[in-house]
């Protein structure tokens, strides 16, 4: 067996090796959010938690809706340019795409209580916005040197003697399973007698050159990669979908100096990733794997926010917001297919012949995807902000946000914690601090620079 060493290209496929187990990568992907919302909010870098008065603050500091003194409705659109760059052995590949997007639509209903009562306004708001976009392409190819993804397949298979239907269990990763079904890997052969005789297609016992019977040794697996050959790898992936966020808010204005708001958020997750990976060993031996993975589901969270004007005659505002974890219920589905072209030598005649093999999990499972249901809890979010206005022309905002990604946790649908996945999240993640700063200058009431 060759030494297993993970290089950059192979590292792209580690998450596939764990079968249907949820990964740290999945959790981190769903936890983060894009800077998105109204043109004003995006133009100021999202640093409006203490300034308020914008529909997009419904998702950062809910108290910002309390600054409205009249009802409002708004929507915004965007145009984005997505690009990715990959480098390997001095070569570079770029994948750039442009697309239009519908970013948000929302309204605020402002209800005035009175001018002399401590409670001046009670406002209600709703906003939809695209919290996350997964739109990305990636491409890479090149020689792998002395390494191959097939070595990873073999390493994951060592010790497996009863494959059964590996796609109906979490005990066997599908990467090794498709490698086995596509004959990219196979158990080693030994002359030590055991319960697994090696027989040909006619059911006859196969012997070695010395006439000794051969047996399968499932403790070690071989690959189709010949010694000394550097496979040429090709990789292409596409990611699509996003997270839609729906926020429902109520906010209160006390004496035009203290604002309090609560937002209940609902999330709709639609993520799809498809990829193709192939290796060519030369001399006609090659294989390719294609896969499509989806994560769909829904979640909810709650956000609480405060804004305080500490000095009555000063426009200085201080903000604080706390977001609960987002409680997701998700379904992970995947399908995979392998195609291989392998040259064999007839032990009796010495004649070489090529076999074309293919295997598709979707059809083998009677037109079904491999599926796993799980729950994800993202970390708590803490947000501190400060805002200041100069007259009616200049607004300045800054905020700091903290999330401890190591606190994300995975759960089974029955509610039991997925200990391994949650522990991996704890080991591999850490706290993330985000700083935002923004400014707006109104040249004239109808035109502003941000």
């Amino acid at each position: 067996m060759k030494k297993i060493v993970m290089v950059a290209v192979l590292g792209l496929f580690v998450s596939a090796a764990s079968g249907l187990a949820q990964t740290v990568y999945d959790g981190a992907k769903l936890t983060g959010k894009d800077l998105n919302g109204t043109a004003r909010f995006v133009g100021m870098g999202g640093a409006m938690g203490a300034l308020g008065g914008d529909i997009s603050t419904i998702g950062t500091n809910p108290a910002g809706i309390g600054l409205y003194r009249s009802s409002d409705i708004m929507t915004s659109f965007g145009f984005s340019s997505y690009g990715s760059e990959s480098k390997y052995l001095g070569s570079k590949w770029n994948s750039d795409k442009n697309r239009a997007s519908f970013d948000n639509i929302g309204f605020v209903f402002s209800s005035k209580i009175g001018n002399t009562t401590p409670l001046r306004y009670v406002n209600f708001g709703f906003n939809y916005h695209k919290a996350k976009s997964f739109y990305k392409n990636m491409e890479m190819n090149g020689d792998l040197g002395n390494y191959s993804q097939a070595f990873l397949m073999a390493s994951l298979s060592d010790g497996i003697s009863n494959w059964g239907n590996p796609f109906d269990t979490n005990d066997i990763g599908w990467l090794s399973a498709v490698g086995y079904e596509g004959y990219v890997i196979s158990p080693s052969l030994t002359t030590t007698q055991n319960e697994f005789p090696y027989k040909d297609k006619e059911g006859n016992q196969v012997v070695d050159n010395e006439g000794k019977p051969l047996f399968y040794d499932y403790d070690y697996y071989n690959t189709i990669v010949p010694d000394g050959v550097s496979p040429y790898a090709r990789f292409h992936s596409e990611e699509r979908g996003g997270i839609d966020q729906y926020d429902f808010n109520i906010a209160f204005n006390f004496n035009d100096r203290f604002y309090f708001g609560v937002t209940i958020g609902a999330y709709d997750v639609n993520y799809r990733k498809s990829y193709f990976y192939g290796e060519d060993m030369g001399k006609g031996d090659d294989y390719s794997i294609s896969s499509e993975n989806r994560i769909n589901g829904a979640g909810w969270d709650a956000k609480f926010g405060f804004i305080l004007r500490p000095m009555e005659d000063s426009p200085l505002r201080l903000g604080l917001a706390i977001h609960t974890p987002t409680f997701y219920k998700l379904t992970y589905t995947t399908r995979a297919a392998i195609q291989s072209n392998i040259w064999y030598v007839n032990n009796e005649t010495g004649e070489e012949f090529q076999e074309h093999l293919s295997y598709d999990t979707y059809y083998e499972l009677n037109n079904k995807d491999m599926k796993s249901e799980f729950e994800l809890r993202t970390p708590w979010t803490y947000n501190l902000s400060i805002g200041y206005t100069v007259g009616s022309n200049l607004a300045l905002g800054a905020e700091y946000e903290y999330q401890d990604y190591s606190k994300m946790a995975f759960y089974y649908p029955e509610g039991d914690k997925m200990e391994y996945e949650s522990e991996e999240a704890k080991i591999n993640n850490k706290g993330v601090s985000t700083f935002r700063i923004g400014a707006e200058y109104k040249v004239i009431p109808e035109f502003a620079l941000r």
Side-chain angles (χ1 to χ4, degrees):
M1 178 63 63
K2 300 182 184 232
K3 184 178 180 181
I4 305 300
V5 180
M6 296 303 298
V7 295
V9 173
L10 299 185
L12 294 168
F13 313 107
V14 174
S15 62
S18 58
L20 293 178
Q22 285 61 57
T23 66
V24 177
Y25 176 77
D26 295 329
K29 179 176 287 292
L30 299 181
T31 296
K33 295 181 180 180
D34 297 336
L35 176 61
N36 203 356
T38 66
R40 186 185 183 210
F41 183 82
V42 175
M44 293 189 66
M48 297 190 64
L51 291 171
D54 187 280
I55 190 70
S56 291
T57 61
I58 198 173
T60 55
N61 187 343
I65 303 303
L67 277 80
Y68 275 88
R69 297 190 177 188
S70 61
S71 299
D72 196 10
I73 184 171
M74 64 201 68
T75 186
S76 61
F77 301 86
F79 181 81
S80 303
S81 178
Y82 296 83
S84 64
E85 180 180 284
S86 53
K87 295 180 180 179
Y88 183 65
L89 296 179
S91 298
K92 181 171 65 174
W93 296 267
N94 292 299
S95 299
D96 300 321
K97 295 290 182 180
N98 300 317
R99 66 189 297 263
S101 60
F102 174 59
D103 291 341
N104 84 292
I105 185 170
F107 68 86
V108 174
F109 176 73
S110 181
S111 177
K112 186 174 182 178
I113 304 302
N115 292 323
T116 58
T117 58
L119 179 60
R120 302 293 172 84
Y121 287 87
V122 177
N123 298 335
F124 302 89
F126 166 79
N127 188 50
Y128 157 80
H129 87 283
K130 180 71 74 175
K132 184 83 173 181
S133 173
F134 298 122
Y135 199 94
K136 185 175 69 174
N137 293 348
M138 186 177 178
E139 189 168 350
M140 183 183 296
N141 56 73
D143 287 313
L144 295 181
N146 295 321
Y147 312 117
S148 168
Q149 188 188 53
F151 302 161
L152 177 59
M153 296 177 185
S155 175
L156 294 169
S157 304
D158 289 345
I160 300 175
S161 60
N162 182 13
W163 288 87
N165 188 342
F167 305 106
D168 274 342
T169 175
N170 287 334
D171 297 332
I172 301 175
W174 71 254
L175 181 60
S176 55
V178 295
Y180 177 79
E181 297 292 351
Y183 290 87
V184 174
I185 61 173
S186 59
S188 301
L189 296 176
T190 178
T191 56
T192 302
Q193 186 172 353
N194 60 43
E195 58 182 312
F196 305 111
Y198 173 36
K199 297 181 179 181
D200 59 22
K201 293 181 178 179
E202 286 73 34
N204 301 314
Q205 173 74 61
V206 178
V207 299
D208 65 6
N209 294 332
E210 299 178 357
K212 296 180 179 179
L214 291 172
F215 298 85
Y216 287 116
D217 181 2
Y218 285 100
D219 288 334
Y220 300 98
Y221 280 73
N222 293 322
T223 74
I224 64 171
V225 183
D227 290 334
V229 170
S230 175
Y232 188 87
R234 305 173 308 282
F235 172 77
H236 175 79
S237 71
E238 293 184 359
E239 294 181 73
R240 297 293 185 268
I243 300 178
D244 295 324
Q245 182 173 341
Y246 304 85
D247 285 326
F248 303 84
N249 172 274
I250 183 171
F252 306 89
N253 173 344
F254 297 93
N255 295 318
D256 292 324
R257 291 187 60 186
F258 179 74
Y259 308 87
F260 170 69
V262 178
T263 294
I264 302 298
Y267 299 83
D268 180 39
V269 178
N270 175 24
Y271 171 71
R272 175 176 64 85
K273 181 177 182 178
S274 58
Y275 81 72
F276 167 89
Y277 177 79
E279 289 185 14
D280 188 347
M281 274 62 71
K283 298 182 180 181
D285 287 340
D286 64 76
Y287 76 92
S288 62
I289 293 177
S290 58
S291 174
E292 183 173 283
N293 310 290
R294 293 178 181 269
I295 299 178
N296 296 94
W300 69 274
D301 70 357
K303 309 173 186 71
F304 306 90
F306 308 86
I307 296 176
L308 174 67
R309 287 177 51 220
M311 295 171 283
E312 185 175 3
D313 298 328
S314 172
L316 176 69
R317 298 171 191 165
L318 304 176
L320 167 66
I322 299 174
H323 304 180
T324 70
T326 304
F327 299 87
Y328 282 116
K329 289 189 175 182
L330 303 166
T331 299
Y332 179 94
T333 57
T334 185
R335 66 176 66 175
I338 187 169
Q339 292 184 332
S340 58
N341 299 296
I342 304 172
W343 281 93
Y344 292 93
V345 177
N346 188 303
N347 290 333
E348 296 180 356
T349 65
E351 180 185 0
E352 290 189 63
F353 63 96
Q354 188 180 42
E355 280 201 31
H356 306 280
L357 303 165
S358 63
Y359 188 90
D360 192 318
T361 63
Y362 182 76
Y363 297 113
E364 294 296 330
L365 292 173
N366 297 319
N367 298 330
K368 292 191 303 181
D369 289 323
M370 295 176 277
K371 183 172 74 171
S372 175
E373 295 182 348
F374 68 104
E375 297 179 5
L376 169 67
R377 297 180 190 176
T378 68
W380 287 78
T381 302
Y382 306 94
N383 183 294
L384 295 172
S385 56
I386 185 171
Y388 194 84
T389 58
V390 180
S392 59
N393 298 94
L394 179 64
L396 304 171
E399 62 185 59
Y400 166 76
E401 190 170 274
Y402 179 78
Q403 288 179 294
D404 187 354
Y405 275 46
S406 69
K407 300 298 184 182
M408 73 172 67
F410 298 88
Y411 292 83
Y412 294 104
E414 299 79 15
D416 296 330
K417 194 172 186 178
M418 301 170 71
E419 296 293 346
Y420 174 79
E421 289 80 1
S422 300
E423 186 63 23
E424 285 296 301
K426 182 178 180 180
I427 294 173
N428 292 285
N429 288 319
K430 60 182 180 180
V432 175
S433 296
T434 303
F435 297 89
R436 305 185 186 102
I437 186 169
E440 175 188 64
Y441 179 72
K442 288 188 176 181
V443 181
I444 57 175
E446 297 81 12
F447 181 78
L449 298 175
R450 302 184 180 101

